[in-house]
């Protein structure tokens, strides 16, 4: 199967595309990981708007997902250029790979120090699968807050919003750690982060209705 065939089959609503992706995942279940990665790279290169389909194909192919390397993760992230691409990459690929030990803390820290805003955002959103149960996480305050601290002073809008998300995702498994972090860095955090995270801590919602 090649990218052209996949793209010819995916159209319509997100739900219908996802249904087709599940069918394609069944069809390629017996393929070797190299073939699945090649297909995913081809999809990313030929149809950037379909990155999330490529990422779901990797995530749902155990032989590929369970042995993914840092080089493969970074190849899948090459050319990131929007918040939606970054969030799909971090939630489906880099976050789970980091959580399972296929990507090191040092790699995520390197992304956090990148000149590219999208890699900085990716470092923060990669913490979400560490902490959200629905994404396989059970809570990891140490690694999450280490990345958050690296980006405290970053005022790029995409990074600020990702910092808020990272902290809010940690609220459920470890609210005490989030409160301590918020208190410690109150003078350095962006106003949006302080507002949304404090709302989450006190009401369970990012933006509660008044």
């Amino acid at each position: 199967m090649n990218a052209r065939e996949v793209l010819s089959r995916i159209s319509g609503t997100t739900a219908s595309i996802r249904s087709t992706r599940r069918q394609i995942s069944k069809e390629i279940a017996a393929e070797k990981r190299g073939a699945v990665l090649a297909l995913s790279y081809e999809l990313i290169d030929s149809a950037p708007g379909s990155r999330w389909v490529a990422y779901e194909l990797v995530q749902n192919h155990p032989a590929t997902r369970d042995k993914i390397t840092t080089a493969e993760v970074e190849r899948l992230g090459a050319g990131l250029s929007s918040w939606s691409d970054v969030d799909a990459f971090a939630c489906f690929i880099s976050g789970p790979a980091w959580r399972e030990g296929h990507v090191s803390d040092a790699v995520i820290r390197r992304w956090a120090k990148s000149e590219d805003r999208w890699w900085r955002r990716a470092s923060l959103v990669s913490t979400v699968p560490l902490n959200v149960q629905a994404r396989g996480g059970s809570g990891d305050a140490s690694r999450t807050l280490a990345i958050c601290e690296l980006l405290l002073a970053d005022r790029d809008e995409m990074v600020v919003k990702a910092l808020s998300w990272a902290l809010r995702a940690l609220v459920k498994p470890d609210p005490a750690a989030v409160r301590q972090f918020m208190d410690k860095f109150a003078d350095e955090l962006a106003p949006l982060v302080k507002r949304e995270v404090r709302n989450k801590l006190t009401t369970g919602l990012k933006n509660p209705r008044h």
Side-chain angles (χ1 to χ4, degrees), residues 33-34 37 41 58 61-77 89 93-98 100-104 107-108 110-111 119:
R33 63 188 309 278
L37 284 167
Y41 298 154
V58 170
H61 190 264
T64 305
R65 179 193 66 220
D66 295 345
K67 293 184 178 180
I68 199 162
T69 67
T70 296
E72 291 163 353
V73 168
E74 293 189 323
R75 172 65 177 85
L76 288 164
F89 168 72
I93 301 296
S94 60
W98 183 24
E100 301 305 320
H102 305 301
V103 170
S104 70
V107 168
I108 306 299
R110 171 162 55 80
W111 296 355
W119 281 108

Side-chain angles (χ1 to χ4, degrees), residues 194-208:
K194 289 191 281 189
R195 181 178 69 253
E196 292 185 345
V197 178
R198 285 172 178 163
N199 283 341
K200 183 71 174 182
L201 283 164
T202 56
T203 71
L205 300 172
K206 177 176 73 171
N207 294 308

Side-chain angles (χ1 to χ4, degrees), residues 56-171:
E56 286 199 358
L57 289 174
V58 170
Q59 186 192 43
N60 289 280
H61 190 264
T64 305
R65 179 193 66 220
D66 295 345
K67 293 184 178 180
I68 199 162
T69 67
T70 296
E72 291 163 353
V73 168
E74 293 189 323
R75 172 65 177 85
L76 288 164
L80 290 168
S81 60
S82 72
W83 65 264
S84 57
D85 286 349
V86 170
D87 296 355
F89 168 72
C91 289
F92 296 152
I93 301 296
S94 60
W98 183 24
R99 187 186 64 226
E100 301 305 320
H102 305 301
V103 170
S104 70
D105 295 0
V107 168
I108 306 299
R109 288 196 300 268
R110 171 162 55 80
W111 296 355
K113 297 174 183 178
S114 173
E115 293 183 1
D116 187 319
R117 71 192 301 208
W118 301 117
W119 281 108
R120 299 200 307 278
R121 182 179 174 96
S123 71
L124 287 164
V125 182
S126 292
T127 69
V128 172
L130 304 181
N131 299 307
V132 174
Q133 187 175 17
R135 297 194 177 278
S138 57
D140 192 331
S142 178
R143 286 197 287 181
T144 298
L145 298 179
I147 300 302
C148 290
E149 188 170 348
L150 287 174
L151 290 159
L152 280 173
D154 198 314
R155 289 300 184 264
D156 184 292
E157 180 184 16
M158 292 293 100
V159 177
V160 170
K161 290 181 177 180
L163 178 58
S164 173
W165 186 10
L167 290 168
R168 285 183 284 109
L170 183 59
V171 165

